[in-house]
Amino acid sequence: MSIDNPGSDGPEPDISVVVIVYNDARRLPVAVRSVLDQTLRNVEVIIADDCSTDDSHTVARQLAADHPGRVRAIRLERNSGGCGEPRNQGMAVARGRYVMFLDSDDTLERNACRNMLEAADRTGADLVSGLCVRVHTDSRHDKRIPWYPWLYQSTHTVESIAELPDLFVFDTLSTNKCYRRAFLLENELSFPRGIHYEDLLFSAQAYLAAGRITLIPNTVYYWHVAEKTTAKSISNRRHEINNFTDRLEIHRRIDAVLDRRALDGLKLQKAIKFLKHDLVLYLRDLPFLDDGYRHRFAELARGYIQDFPEAAYAQLDRVHAICAYLLLREDWDNLMPAIDTLINRDKISAPLAERDGRVYWCHQYLDDPKAREIMDVTGLGHHGTPLERMFLRNLLTGYAVRGDLVVLEGAVVNPLGTVAPDARLAAELEFRARRRSLQTFRFPVRTVRHAGDTITWQAVIPLSARFRPLGVVDEVWDIRLHLTADGKRTTTRITAGRVDLENSASVPVQPRLSRLVADRLEPQASAKGHLAFRLTQHSAPARRGRAVVDRNLHGSAARTVKGAYRTARAVRRELVSGPRKIQGYHHMLRLLPVRRGTVVFESHIGRQYSDSPRAIYEELCRRHAPVTAIWSYAGKRPEGFPADAELVRRWSWRYLRALAQAEFWIDNQGFPLRLSKRPETTYIQTWHGSALKKMGFDEPGYRVMPEQEQRAYQAALDRFDHFLVRSEHDVRTLARAYRIPEGKLLRSGYPRNDALVRAARDPQAPDPDLRRLAERLGIQPGHRVVLYAPTFRARADGAVRAFEFPFDVERFADRFGDQCTLLVRSHYLNQVALPPSVAGRVVDVTGEPDITPLLLLADALITDYSSVMFDYALLRRPLVFYAYDWEEYAEDMRGTYFDLLTEAPGPVARTEDELFAAVSDLPAVGTQYEAQLKEFVDKYGEYDRGDAAARIVDRFFGPAGETR
């Protein structure tokens, strides 16, 4: 090893940054400059050249000469074959108290060294880690993706990696970290030599050896990624089998370290991550690789993952587990579609199979109970998805060029025969530019027909004659096939895995800017494996013409035009940004007058036409009150909202103007918190339910919020002019938790509950609307109706957990299905997937916009901790509580205002058998708990008298018969 500018006896650097380089003379100065420009000045750079064959070492020596005392250059005598050995050699000559690593094609954030050093000195950590950001250098908009940002949300110090196993499992980079040099020497830490993925092993050993680790929420490292380059980085050469071999070897070495330390928990978490991440990186490329590679890959993978514990596979989601299972068996016919779904998570790629009321990925392996469990995809809900909402696999089966014509053939999967054999079929192909274009080209598909469990199609496309792209900003074109069956349309992308597009013929094309910009259209596969076409230049005139166009596109005049365009686009984005809309809204408050008689209604943040706002609105309509009603809706299109009301999309400019000018705001959850309310506007907050779980400032999370955030939240709550309550329990809980003063409380009850109170007074009164609802839901006459309405469950990070039945719904249907129908109403943030076996006996009613008709329809309610218990109790019908996780919910989450187990006006089941026992005799439940139910209603619904909507309208809009 040779050393240039070997250093001096000067002061010890705070940090030595080892920059490794191999054949990267062009980018090396940029990497080094990112170190020299650090705000921490006492930093040295050690450039470790892995015996480059280009000018890298010459550049390194020049940098050392230009910055004596700050830059040193070393060169290995022979190429080591990896990144490990040059880093080791750099560490060997480092003089700093701390050491960091940098690759020649990456850069450090300007304050990285200072932030790392301050954290290390403050906490005494052996290792400090900061946020890495992947910068996609070949993206048009400088795409940046933080690397596992949830690990770096705040400063965090741990005494052992066992306190933060996610760091060990996920952030395996060595380059976004700062190491105490004495710590590296004491533990004899070094990178493995001559093997790729050296970071994984080095990081694992460093994590395990560190006595203290500090994480900081600052960006420290920019990892530059070029996806479109032909010279792939080491980590992106997954088509080379040795790449996978190296990864497996590194993982085996880490496993050995964990085994020696008896760290089974960490090893399990690492195995799960390998199946979910490492393996998937290679599976994505399998459809485009030959059989020889696939067989060798499967052989290597099987030798490693087949010994993983069952607990690792149990943590996989369904598609990951299916891919792992099929890979172990080298079932390529079923694995390739599974990989397509793995890459395109909403895609239905297999025809699926139904057995015994369950849906499976394929019909093979179902005799094996373990395989049957893995292949069960009932929970994905594909069997209940209508055709127009399906994203179906459409496999390209043929590609040919006949003169100026392109012949495309494909097969669209038809899961569970969703498209009936006698359905009328039609299709068309759409060519859409990947970059926004004014043009879209459509071509009819000549042949569409059923073929077993697929729908095959063939299109002959006159591309040369009819395809006329501009030729400059629309180089890449994606293809979609629109399939119509009996008037219902679904859109598919064309999966290109089976056809070798790289060696397929191109087709001549005539762009609108002439063939001097492009003369051929070549097929290619997109990053997600779909068919696309790219404009290219084959002839010499076209290449010369394109060169002229490119020069002009990048000349000074073009840069001026592009700059003006980008500025205009940025201005447009800024005009519709959240801050600008909030600013514009407050301008409206000052400049626009109040529109007398205007009422803005909103329910559940615009997701529904429901609840007390709906009841008040319908009372106004019944009276023909002279008001202008405006309803807010969320999402792309309003569904289920009244046709005679003005509709505005939430956060649109029309929405903001409506709020700014409204005389009344009425909602049940909260208009946007940062929108102030003018004094002339009356805000009636109806709220959406009494509380069992702690709310508002009673929640642990709100109590520890920064003071500034608490003030902002309180200011939003202070907008309420009136707050509806249905009992003194609400006064003691909700009103106190949201700090609502006594003068703002309306002891009116909830307007949404008026219908429930009236139904309880006259339970035999005919209701044609309920009869039509029962018919629409398919409830058999004479069947008892049981409604299951649980609350949502949140994860530790606050996100909503996916809905899962806490009891065997098939067993429920088998036991009670001949006498009752179970309606399942999950929280609106969840989705339900029912197995086909329960069809007709269990019905998903989550999509019903308003729960009140369902409550009226139900003969009994099963719930857990949902506030629906307080509403349904008004009907004086049986309630059954399924509190299977009461301790976790009451103690480990937000806490509750009272002990449901002692106050519930119905049986509290803790197990599935107890639940079924209660449901088996609902009349007895009603009799046994009649007194408790009355006491519950008196306590928690004392102000629900059946006239809440009328009282609200009388007070604020005038008594019936009067006009304002």
Side-chain angles (χ1 to χ4, degrees):
M1 180 180 71
S2 62
I3 304 178
D4 287 271
N5 196 359
S8 66
D9 296 328
E12 177 185 55
D14 287 320
I15 298 179
S16 296
V17 180
V18 178
V19 182
I20 62 169
V21 62
Y22 177 71
N23 287 353
D24 197 15
R26 179 178 61 85
R27 291 181 293 191
L28 176 60
V30 177
V32 172
R33 175 53 57 188
S34 76
V35 183
L36 297 176
D37 288 345
Q38 287 290 299
T39 53
L40 179 70
R41 303 304 297 169
N42 190 23
V43 177
E44 74 164 350
V45 182
I46 300 167
I47 305 172
D49 175 32
D50 198 11
C51 197
S52 296
T53 59
D54 71 349
D55 292 332
S56 293
H57 188 55
T58 302
V59 172
R61 293 179 63 186
Q62 185 61 50
L63 288 167
D66 292 342
H67 304 280
R70 295 200 70 193
V71 178
R72 287 185 284 158
I74 65 175
R75 177 176 179 156
L76 277 65
E77 294 179 357
R78 61 183 61 87
N79 181 258
S80 67
C83 299
E85 187 57 16
R87 286 179 182 151
N88 291 336
Q89 296 298 329
M91 276 194 289
V93 300
R95 298 188 307 113
R97 289 193 296 134
Y98 294 90
V99 176
M100 293 175 64
F101 302 104
L102 174 63
D103 292 347
S104 61
D105 54 347
D106 300 330
T107 55
L108 293 181
E109 195 276 335
R110 191 164 182 265
N111 299 293
C113 292
R114 179 178 297 279
N115 290 331
M116 292 280 212
L117 180 67
E118 289 178 352
D121 286 345
R122 184 178 68 254
T123 64
D126 292 324
L127 185 161
V128 177
S129 188
L131 181 64
C132 170
V133 175
R134 286 169 58 98
V135 180
H136 292 256
T137 56
D138 51 1
S139 67
R140 290 194 297 121
H141 302 298
D142 194 27
K143 182 172 71 174
R144 297 177 176 228
I145 301 176
W147 187 252
Y148 299 115
W150 45 273
L151 288 169
Y152 296 96
Q153 293 179 346
S154 62
T155 300
H156 190 189
T157 298
V158 296
E159 302 299 324
S160 165
I161 192 62
E163 297 179 32
L164 191 60
D166 281 355
L167 184 63
F168 179 94
V169 171
F170 292 99
D171 191 354
T172 55
L173 301 176
S174 67
T175 48
N176 61 331
K177 297 170 178 60
C178 181
Y179 312 84
R180 188 165 57 86
R181 185 162 66 92
F183 158 73
L184 297 175
L185 296 174
E186 290 163 6
N187 291 276
E188 299 180 343
L189 292 176
S190 63
F191 289 88
R193 297 166 175 82
I195 188 170
H196 300 315
Y197 302 106
E198 68 293 324
D199 269 23
L200 278 67
L201 180 58
F202 180 84
S203 296
Q205 292 173 324
Y207 283 143
L208 294 170
R212 180 172 292 174
I213 302 169
T214 295
L215 278 64
I216 60 174
N218 309 88
T219 298
V220 299
Y221 195 88
Y222 293 118
W223 177 2
H224 295 165
V225 180
E227 295 179 337
K228 300 172 185 176
T229 180
T230 55
K232 298 289 186 181
S233 66
I234 292 171
S235 59
N236 284 327
R237 296 176 196 161
R238 291 185 288 271
H239 59 285
E240 299 174 2
I241 199 65
N242 288 339
N243 184 288
F244 188 54
T245 304
D246 282 1
R247 188 183 286 265
L248 292 183
E249 175 58 24
I250 288 291
H251 274 278
R252 286 193 173 95
R253 295 185 192 182
I254 299 173
D255 291 342
V257 174
L258 296 174
D259 286 338
R260 287 195 298 271
R261 292 173 173 258
L263 295 172
D264 296 338
L266 272 180
K267 186 177 178 182
L268 173 61
Q269 294 301 314
K270 189 184 78 67
I272 294 169
K273 192 248 187 176
F274 183 89
L275 293 170
K276 285 185 173 182
H277 174 73
D278 298 64
L279 186 64
V280 171
L281 292 175
Y282 295 86
L283 290 177
R284 295 168 64 98
D285 291 336
L286 281 187
F288 307 101
L289 299 170
D290 59 43
D291 291 340
Y293 178 97
R294 292 179 186 176
H295 174 70
R296 179 60 179 149
F297 174 80
E299 191 175 50
L300 290 168
R302 183 165 51 247
Y304 183 58
I305 69 173
Q306 66 182 356
D307 295 328
F308 280 11
E310 290 294 323
Y313 290 96
Q315 293 295 317
L316 301 181
D317 65 31
R318 188 59 57 208
V319 177
H320 279 99
I322 289 171
C323 285
Y325 183 91
L326 295 173
L327 176 65
L328 290 175
R329 281 147 188 79
E330 290 197 56
D331 181 352
W332 306 113
D333 289 340
N334 286 308
L335 176 58
M336 291 301 115
I339 292 173
D340 201 358
T341 293
L342 193 66
I343 300 170
N344 304 277
R345 297 310 296 269
D346 296 327
K347 185 182 287 190
I348 306 174
S349 297
L352 308 179
E354 184 177 339
R355 297 286 189 278
D356 304 321
R358 307 291 295 179
V359 177
Y360 299 93
W361 183 259
C362 57
H363 61 80
Q364 293 89 344
Y365 316 112
L366 299 185
D367 293 335
D368 176 2
K370 181 61 181 176
R372 193 181 183 96
E373 180 182 344
I374 292 173
M375 294 294 158
D376 191 334
V377 294
T378 308
L380 298 181
H382 294 325
H383 55 282
T385 305
L387 177 65
E388 49 270 42
R389 285 172 46 202
M390 286 183 169
F391 179 24
L392 300 175
R393 174 174 164 90
N394 183 358
L395 181 64
L396 183 66
T397 58
Y399 172 90
V401 176
R402 300 173 184 167
D404 291 345
L405 301 176
V406 174
V407 181
L408 298 178
E409 296 176 306
V412 181
V413 70
N414 186 17
L416 300 175
T418 299
V419 179
D422 59 349
R424 301 184 308 277
L425 302 177
E428 69 171 1
L429 283 172
E430 177 187 89
F431 282 60
R432 183 186 301 174
R434 188 167 296 172
R435 292 178 67 177
R436 191 171 299 175
S437 172
L438 298 177
Q439 300 183 99
T440 298
F441 298 92
R442 291 183 174 86
F443 302 93
V445 174
R446 184 169 63 184
T447 305
V448 190
R449 58 172 175 263
H450 281 275
D453 54 15
T454 65
I455 296 169
T456 61
W457 56 272
Q458 183 188 67
V460 179
I461 308 170
L463 281 180
S464 294
R466 292 187 47 202
F467 182 70
R468 298 292 307 280
L470 185 64
V472 174
V473 296
D474 52 359
E475 291 94 343
V476 180
W477 291 77
D478 293 313
I479 318 302
R480 292 166 174 80
L481 181 132
H482 302 295
L483 173 67
T484 303
D486 285 339
K488 297 177 180 179
R489 191 173 97 154
T490 186
T491 298
T492 70
R493 300 292 299 273
I494 302 173
T495 299
R498 182 178 293 184
V499 176
D500 180 10
L501 295 179
E502 286 189 10
N503 297 310
S504 296
S506 61
V507 63
V509 68
Q510 175 71 53
R512 296 185 185 277
L513 293 181
S514 85
R515 286 181 174 160
L516 290 178
V517 293
D519 58 358
R520 307 291 293 188
L521 197 63
E522 289 186 345
Q524 64 176 31
S526 71
K528 292 198 171 185
H530 295 135
L531 175 66
F533 284 89
R534 177 181 291 275
L535 292 169
T536 61
Q537 306 82 38
H538 278 218
S539 68
R543 287 194 293 271
R544 287 194 299 269
R546 182 64 193 215
V548 171
V549 170
D550 287 343
R551 281 197 300 273
N552 282 285
L553 284 174
H554 296 92
S556 58
R559 284 195 296 272
T560 300
V561 173
K562 288 179 183 178
Y565 170 72
R566 292 191 185 104
T567 300
R569 188 174 60 186
V571 168
R572 183 179 181 276
R573 280 200 305 265
E574 200 272 335
L575 285 173
V576 296
S577 67
R580 177 53 66 93
K581 283 189 171 181
I582 293 170
Q583 183 185 41
Y585 167 81
H586 288 98
H587 280 305
M588 294 180 197
L589 286 185
R590 293 194 299 271
L591 300 175
L592 298 178
V594 171
R595 293 172 59 196
R596 303 292 296 177
T598 300
V599 189
V600 177
F601 292 92
E602 187 169 286
S603 179
H604 293 300
I605 319 180
R607 290 185 175 94
Q608 297 175 353
Y609 170 61
S610 65
D611 212 82
S612 293
R614 172 177 178 170
I616 296 172
Y617 167 77
E618 290 179 350
E619 177 68 14
L620 287 169
C621 291
R622 188 184 66 79
R623 298 187 183 189
H624 302 289
V627 299
T628 300
I630 301 173
W631 271 91
S632 152
Y633 71 92
K636 295 182 179 179
R637 288 179 296 275
E639 294 183 1
F641 286 83
D644 56 347
E646 181 182 345
L647 303 181
V648 293
R649 186 174 180 178
R650 202 168 195 266
W651 272 113
S652 67
W653 282 110
R654 288 182 59 220
Y655 171 80
L656 297 174
R657 177 167 182 164
L659 286 177
Q661 295 191 269
E663 185 180 3
F664 291 94
W665 292 0
I666 299 178
D667 89 314
N668 67 349
Q669 197 155 338
F671 289 106
L673 299 183
R674 297 180 63 187
L675 300 184
S676 302
K677 182 188 71 68
R678 68 199 314 162
E680 303 96 319
T681 299
T682 299
Y683 190 167
I684 303 172
Q685 174 55 256
T686 69
W687 206 241
H688 51 277
S690 298
L692 168 62
K693 56 181 176 288
K694 291 187 176 179
M695 307 289 286
F697 286 103
D698 288 346
E699 292 184 47
Y702 283 99
R703 289 200 297 268
V704 299
M705 275 197 316
E707 185 178 349
Q708 182 178 358
E709 292 182 28
Q710 289 198 27
R711 287 198 302 268
Y713 187 55
Q714 185 63 58
L717 297 173
D718 289 343
R719 298 177 303 172
F720 301 162
D721 294 301
H722 304 281
F723 188 88
L724 273 57
V725 294
R726 59 198 301 260
S727 68
E728 288 305 305
H729 168 75
D730 290 352
V731 176
R732 293 187 299 271
T733 56
L734 290 173
R736 188 193 64 177
Y738 290 112
R739 301 173 181 174
I740 310 296
E742 173 67 28
K744 292 186 177 183
L745 299 180
L746 289 183
R747 291 170 168 82
S748 61
Y750 285 164
R752 73 182 185 195
N753 288 339
D754 291 346
L756 303 179
V757 175
R758 290 195 295 266
R761 290 174 182 162
D762 188 4
Q764 303 303 321
D767 190 333
D769 290 337
L770 287 186
R771 185 176 67 251
R772 285 191 291 270
L773 175 62
E775 291 173 354
R776 179 164 60 81
L777 296 177
I779 297 172
Q780 297 182 33
H783 263 216
R784 182 180 291 118
V785 177
V786 177
L787 176 64
Y788 175 50
T791 190
F792 71 94
R793 300 296 195 278
R795 301 198 308 254
D797 61 1
V800 177
R801 292 186 202 166
F803 175 83
E804 294 180 358
F805 277 101
F807 59 88
D808 188 336
V809 70
E810 291 177 286
R811 182 184 169 211
F812 186 101
D814 291 341
R815 181 165 177 179
F816 303 111
D818 61 343
Q819 54 188 285
C820 81
T821 300
L822 179 69
L823 305 182
V824 179
R825 169 79 173 201
S826 74
H827 193 274
Y828 63 81
L829 296 174
N830 287 132
Q831 291 183 330
V832 176
L834 296 172
S837 59
V838 303
R841 298 176 293 172
V842 183
V843 181
D844 175 21
V845 292
T846 302
E848 294 293 318
D850 197 349
I851 196 174
T852 300
L854 300 173
L855 299 178
L856 291 167
L857 187 63
D859 298 295
L861 173 72
I862 301 172
T863 189
D864 44 17
Y865 323 115
S866 171
S867 64
V868 73
M869 70 174 79
F870 300 102
D871 303 320
Y872 190 78
L874 297 169
L875 289 166
R876 312 297 176 96
R877 299 174 190 172
L879 285 97
V880 178
F881 296 85
Y882 190 29
Y884 62 94
D885 61 349
W886 169 253
E887 286 76 17
E888 176 189 354
Y889 189 87
E891 298 172 12
D892 296 342
M893 296 178 68
R894 284 157 55 172
T896 61
Y897 287 118
F898 63 87
D899 185 357
L900 178 68
L901 303 189
T902 60
E903 290 201 38
V908 180
R910 305 300 302 275
T911 67
E912 181 176 300
D913 287 341
E914 291 177 357
L915 172 65
F916 288 5
V919 175
S920 65
D921 195 355
L922 290 173
V925 169
T927 301
Q928 180 181 351
Y929 287 89
E930 183 176 4
Q932 290 98 315
L933 187 57
K934 180 180 184 304
E935 182 181 345
F936 190 83
V937 171
D938 291 343
K939 184 175 182 179
Y940 297 110
E942 57 188 304
Y943 302 132
D944 279 324
R945 305 185 183 109
D947 61 351
R951 293 172 65 189
I952 296 298
V953 173
D954 283 348
R955 173 164 179 170
F956 295 102
F957 302 94
E962 292 187 9
T963 59
R964 300 177 70 238

